[in-house]
C-alpha cells in the first residue's frame, strides 16, 4: 500500500504532464517518482484532456494555403505510413535530453532541428571543426556485438560542438530502441552528460551525427554510445554499451 | 462558438482506410481533419511557419499511427487531437529547452471498458466534468472553451497562478476517478 500523500502528489504531477504544464523541476520530481517508487503515468489523463480539447475548442481555421499539398507530398514520398525521418536517416526521434550530471533540466534537443540537414552540410561543419586548433578527435571502438563499428567523434570545447562519423553500427528500429551518446567529463561531474539520441538506418555507409550535449562540457575524457529505450533515458544503466571513444591518458 | 467539422459523431472510419493505404484516404483525412489539427496546433505554436512544420509532423505521425486507432476507446477526432496535442506540446518544450513528453506508442494501449461506446467519448467526459465544483468547471471552460493559457486564466479570475494550476490538475484527476466509478466493471488501468 502506497503512502496516500505520495500517491496524491504523483497524481497531481501526472495530471500536469497531461495538461502540458509541468515545470522542469516538477518533471524531475515526476521522473523520480516513476523511477524510485514504480509509479506509472496514466494515459487516461491524456485521453480525457484530448477529448475535452477536441469537443470544446473552436477548430474552424482552415489549413494554410499550400500546406495541404505539402502534407500529401510528404505522405507520398514516405510511402504512406513510413516515416520520412527514416528516409532522411538522421535523428528521427528527438532526445529526451537532459543531463544525468545535474538535477538541472535542460533538454537541448538538436536532433529534430537536424532532421533534413543535408549530409554535406554536416560534413562541412565536421571538417571545419577538425581544422580548429582546440578540437579533439577520438576513435570509437565497438564492443563485442558491435565490433564492426568504425568511426570517430570530433569535439570542440570552445565551440561546444561535436560530430560523430559512424559506420558499421547496426540499424535500429526506433520503435524498439535508440542509440544514445554520453559524454564523460569528470571535471564537471561524476555522472555523464547526455549527448543526444540518434538512429542508424539500414542503408549502410557512414552516418554523421551531431552531438547534442545537454549541458556545457568542460574536458571530456570519453564518449560512450549505449542502446536505450526509444527516446533515451535520463540515467543509463549501461546494459548495452555499443562503443567507447576514450581520450589517451 | 464554431465547432470543428470533425466533432464527435462525424468520424467516418478514415483512419482505418489510411492504415490500409487505400487510395484517396490520405487526401480525405487531410480534408476532414486538417482544420482540427491546424487550429489545435495554432493554439500552442503561435508562429505560422513553426505551426506549419508541426502540422506536417503531426500528419506524418498520423500516417504511422493510424492502425493504432481503436474506436472502442475514442472518436477519431479525439485520437487525432491526442497526437496533435502531444506533438504541439513537445514542440513547445523543445523550444523552451524543457524535456518533451514521451512518444505515443504503447502508452496508448490500455484495457478497454467492456461496455458499448468509446471510453473517452466526450459525453462521458462532460458528465464527469459536471460533477466538479463550479469554480473548477469555470477554469476548465476558460482553458478548453476559450483556449486561455494558465497565466491568462489567473489574470481573468484573479486567482494566483499556482491555484489555477492546482485546481485544473486536481480537477482532471477527479474527472478520471468519476469516469472510472461510472464504468460498469470499474476498469482500472
Amino acid at each position: 500500500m502506497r503512502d496516500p500523500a505520495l500517491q496524491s502528489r504523483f497524481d497531481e504531477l501526472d495530471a500536469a504532464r497531461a495538461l502540458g504544464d509541468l515545470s522542469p523541476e516538477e518533471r524531475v520530481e515526476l521522473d523520480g517518482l516513476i523511477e524510485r517508487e514504480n509509479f506509472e503515468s496514466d494515459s487516461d489523463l491524456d485521453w480525457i484532456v484530448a477529448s475535452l480539447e477536441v469537443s470544446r475548442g473552436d477548430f474552424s481555421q482552415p489549413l494554410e494555403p499550400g500546406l495541404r499539398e505539402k502534407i500529401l507530398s510528404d505522405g507520398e514520398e514516405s510511402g504512406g505510413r513510413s516515416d520520412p525521418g527514416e528516409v532522411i536517416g538522421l535523428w528521427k526521434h528527438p532526445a529526451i535530453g537532459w543531463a544525468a550530471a545535474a538535477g538541472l533540466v535542460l533538454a537541448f534537443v538538436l536532433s529534430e532541428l537536424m532532421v533534413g540537414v543535408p549530409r554535406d552540410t554536416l560534413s562541412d561543419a565536421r571538417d571545419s571543426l577538425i581544422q580548429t586548433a582546440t578540437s579533439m578527435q577520438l576513435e570509437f571502438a565497438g564492443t563485442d556485438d558491435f565490433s564492426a563499428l568504425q568511426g570517430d567523434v570530433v569535439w570542440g570545447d570552445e565551440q561546444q560542438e561535436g560530430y560523430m562519423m559512424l559506420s558499421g553500427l547496426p540499424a535500429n528500429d526506433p520503435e524498439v530502441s535508440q542509440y544514445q551518446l554520453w559524454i564523460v567529463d569528470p571535471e564537471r561531474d561524476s555522472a555523464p552528460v547526455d549527448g543526444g539520441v540518434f538512429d542508424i538506418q539500414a542503408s549502410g555507409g557512414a552516418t554523421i551525427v551531431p552531438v547534442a550535449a545537454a549541458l556545457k562540457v568542460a574536458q571530456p575524457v570519453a564518449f560512450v554510445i549505449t542502446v536505450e529505450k526509444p527516446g533515451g533515458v535520463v540515467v543509463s544503466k549501461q546494459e548495452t554499451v555499443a562503443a567507447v571513444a576514450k581520450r589517451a591518458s | 462558438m464554431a465547432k470543428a467539422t470533425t466533432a464527435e459523431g462525424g468520424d467516418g472510419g478514415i483512419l482505418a482506410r489510411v492504415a490500409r493505404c487505400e487510395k484517396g484516404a490520405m487526401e480525405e483525412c487531410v480534408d476532414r481533419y486538417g482544420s482540427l489539427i491546424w487550429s489545435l496546433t495554432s493554439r500552442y505554436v503561435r508562429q505560422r511557419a513553426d505551426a506549419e512544420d508541426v502540422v506536417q509532423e503531426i500528419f506524418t505521425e498520423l500516417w504511422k499511427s493510424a492502425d493504432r486507432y481503436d474506436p472502442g476507446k475514442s472518436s477519431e477526432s479525439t485520437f487525432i487531437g491526442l497526437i496533435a496535442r502531444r506533438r504541439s506540446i513537445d514542440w513547445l518544450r523543445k523550444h523552451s529547452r524543457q524535456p518533451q513528453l514521451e512518444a505515443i506508442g504503447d502508452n496508448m494501449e490500455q484495457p478497454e471498458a467492456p461496455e458499448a461506446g468509446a471510453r473517452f467519448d466526450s459525453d462521458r467526459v462532460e458528465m464527469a466534468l459536471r460533477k466538479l465544483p463550479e469554480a473548477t468547471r469555470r477554469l476548465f471552460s476558460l482553458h478548453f472553451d476559450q483556449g486561455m493559457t494558465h497565466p491568462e486564466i489567473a489574470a481573468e479570475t484573479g486567482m494566483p497562478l499556482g491555484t489555477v494550476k492546482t485546481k485544473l490538475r486536481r480537477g482532471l484527476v477527479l474527472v478520471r476517478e468519476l469516469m472510472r466509478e461510472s464504468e460498469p466493471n470499474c476498469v482500472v488501468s
Side-chain angles (χ1 to χ4, degrees):
Chain A
M1 184 72 180
R2 282 202 171 107
D3 176 355
L6 204 59
Q7 180 70 54
S8 175
R9 179 60 181 160
F10 172 78
D11 285 344
E12 196 170 319
L13 291 171
D14 203 26
R17 176 198 56 75
L19 287 163
D21 75 344
L22 267 181
S23 70
E25 294 77 15
E26 288 173 329
R27 166 60 74 172
V28 171
E29 185 182 356
L30 177 62
D31 286 337
L33 287 173
I34 291 170
E35 192 159 306
R36 289 192 306 273
E37 306 292 338
N38 295 318
F39 282 105
E40 290 185 13
S41 284
D42 183 2
S43 67
D44 283 7
L45 296 169
D46 301 84
W47 285 105
I48 293 167
V49 171
S51 178
L52 281 169
E53 186 134 36
V54 167
S55 65
R56 287 173 157 235
D58 174 8
F59 299 119
S60 56
Q61 291 182 58
L63 277 179
E64 288 289 291
L67 185 53
R68 178 183 187 276
E69 287 66 37
K70 282 187 198 170
I71 292 164
L72 292 173
S73 172
D74 283 353
E76 285 167 10
E77 282 176 17
S78 65
R81 291 178 46 215
S82 66
D83 185 351
E86 291 171 355
V87 177
I88 293 166
L90 292 174
W91 302 24
K92 177 190 165 196
H93 285 292
I96 283 180
W98 64 98
L104 188 63
V105 177
L106 284 172
F108 179 42
V109 185
L110 182 60
S111 53
E112 285 253 322
L113 302 178
M114 300 305 293
V115 170
V117 174
R119 188 181 179 281
D120 286 348
T121 305
L122 290 175
S123 181
D124 290 346
R126 179 178 180 276
D127 290 344
S128 175
L129 187 59
I130 290 172
Q131 299 304 317
T132 62
T134 54
S135 68
M136 67 172 76
Q137 189 168 8
L138 306 176
E139 293 287 323
F140 272 113
T143 57
D144 293 346
D145 292 339
F146 301 87
S147 56
L149 179 145
Q150 291 187 318
D152 61 26
V153 57
V154 179
W155 174 258
D157 282 342
E158 279 184 12
Q159 299 83 355
Q160 290 293 299
E161 180 184 352
Y163 301 90
M164 293 181 283
M165 180 177 273
L166 304 168
S167 60
L169 196 56
N172 62 300
D173 178 352
E175 303 294 327
V176 176
S177 65
Q178 288 190 286
Y179 292 103
Q180 187 165 7
L181 177 68
W182 301 92
I183 307 170
V184 181
D185 179 4
E187 289 291 312
R188 136 174 269 297
D189 198 293
S190 58
V193 171
D194 175 14
V197 178
F198 63 97
D199 297 321
I200 296 293
Q201 63 176 151
S203 62
T207 302
I208 298 177
V209 181
V211 175
L215 293 172
K216 186 173 182 183
V217 177
Q219 290 186 312
V221 299
F223 293 78
V224 181
I225 299 172
T226 61
V227 179
E228 307 290 356
K229 66 182 181 181
V233 295
V234 181
V235 179
S236 175
K237 294 176 182 171
Q238 299 180 46
E239 288 171 341
T240 307
V241 175
V244 179
K246 287 198 296 188
R247 199 173 192 168
S249 54
Chain B
M1 179 176 287
K3 295 291 179 185
T5 54
T6 54
E8 308 290 330
D11 297 342
I14 296 173
L15 291 178
R17 293 175 50 216
V18 168
R20 291 193 297 268
C21 298
E22 282 187 18
K23 186 175 172 58
M26 285 166 68
E27 287 86 343
E28 196 175 325
C29 187
V30 175
D31 291 340
R32 178 175 284 268
Y33 295 114
S35 290
L36 168 67
I37 292 176
W38 174 257
S39 305
L40 198 153
T41 302
S42 298
R43 292 174 66 166
Y44 294 91
V45 184
R46 301 298 172 99
Q47 294 293 323
R48 182 169 294 187
D50 293 332
E52 286 193 10
D53 290 344
V54 176
V55 166
Q56 285 180 269
E57 288 177 12
I58 291 165
F59 273 104
T60 299
E61 177 75 33
L62 199 52
W63 307 146
K64 286 171 58 190
S65 306
D67 61 344
R68 291 183 184 154
Y69 169 64
D70 180 353
K73 170 157 274 184
S74 75
S75 64
E76 278 191 350
S77 47
T78 295
F79 177 84
I80 289 169
L82 182 75
I83 292 174
R85 283 192 82 255
R86 286 188 166 190
R87 277 281 176 176
S88 300
I89 292 171
D90 279 353
W91 187 94
L92 275 182
R93 289 184 180 281
K94 275 187 285 181
H95 289 78
S96 59
R97 296 193 173 189
Q98 291 182 19
Q100 63 187 26
L101 295 178
E102 290 176 4
I104 296 174
D106 293 342
N107 283 353
M108 296 173 75
E109 304 302 325
Q110 296 286 322
E112 297 302 324
E115 78 270 53
R119 256 188 95 199
F120 298 99
D121 174 273
S122 63
D123 288 343
R124 290 183 178 175
V125 176
E126 292 291 341
M127 194 178 299
L129 198 66
R130 282 198 288 273
K131 294 177 183 171
L132 298 185
E134 188 176 344
T136 306
R137 286 205 311 273
R138 183 174 179 228
L139 299 184
F140 272 78
S141 175
L142 292 172
H143 185 57
F144 290 105
D145 293 347
Q146 299 188 32
M148 285 188 181
T149 63
H150 296 169
E152 286 169 346
I153 294 172
E156 170 74 19
T157 60
M159 285 183 190
L161 178 59
T163 304
V164 170
K165 288 184 175 186
T166 300
K167 282 185 177 293
L168 281 169
R169 293 171 181 185
R170 290 180 182 169
L172 177 59
V173 172
L174 187 53
V175 167
R176 179 185 65 183
E177 303 314 316
L178 289 166
M179 289 182 70
R180 285 180 179 168
E181 284 173 10
S182 72
E183 289 172 355
N185 291 335
C186 216
V187 171
V188 177
S189 53

